[in-house]
């Protein structure tokens, strides 16, 4: 479970997730909730084949979402 792993990290400006093993994760809800300073997240290495809940992953009332670049294949 990765619920709110980086949630409310207001000052987080970069994040390297390339070594995360997500192959057995089933819940990824609100992972980046309210990360208002994070301009981009590269999730290309995430294996989400077992994930059943991704609700609210990038919700943030203070983020201008067009500038939040997501790379998720």
């Amino acid at each position: 479970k990765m619920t709110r792993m980086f949630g409310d990290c207001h000052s987080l400006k970069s994040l390297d997730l390339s070594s995360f093993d997500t192959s057995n994760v089933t819940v990824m809800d609100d992972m980046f909730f309210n990360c208002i300073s994070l301009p981009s997240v590269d999730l290309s290495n995430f294996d989400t084949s077992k994930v059943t809940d991704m609700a609210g992953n990038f919700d943030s009332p203070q983020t201008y979402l067009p500038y939040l670049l997501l790379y998720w294949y």
Side-chain angles (χ1 to χ4, degrees):
K1 189 171 180 178
M2 296 173 78
T3 299
R4 282 197 181 232
M5 179 171 272
F6 305 104
D8 292 317
C9 292
H10 302 276
S11 299
L12 187 64
K13 295 185 184 198
S14 66
L15 190 58
D16 180 4
L17 300 173
S18 60
S19 62
F20 269 45
D21 179 5
T22 59
S23 60
N24 289 309
V25 176
T26 57
V27 179
M28 288 185 171
D29 61 320
D30 294 325
M31 274 185 66
F32 304 100
F33 177 83
N34 220 8
C35 290
I36 59 174
S37 297
L38 189 62
S40 66
V41 183
D42 182 351
L43 304 175
S44 60
N45 291 325
F46 270 32
D47 177 353
T48 58
S49 59
K50 294 183 181 175
V51 175
T52 58
D53 185 358
M54 289 186 184
N57 261 342
F58 306 100
D59 286 354
S60 177
Q62 300 173 27
T63 301
Y64 187 54
L65 290 177
Y67 290 105
L68 184 60
L69 307 174
L70 308 175
Y71 308 99
W72 203 333
Y73 308 1

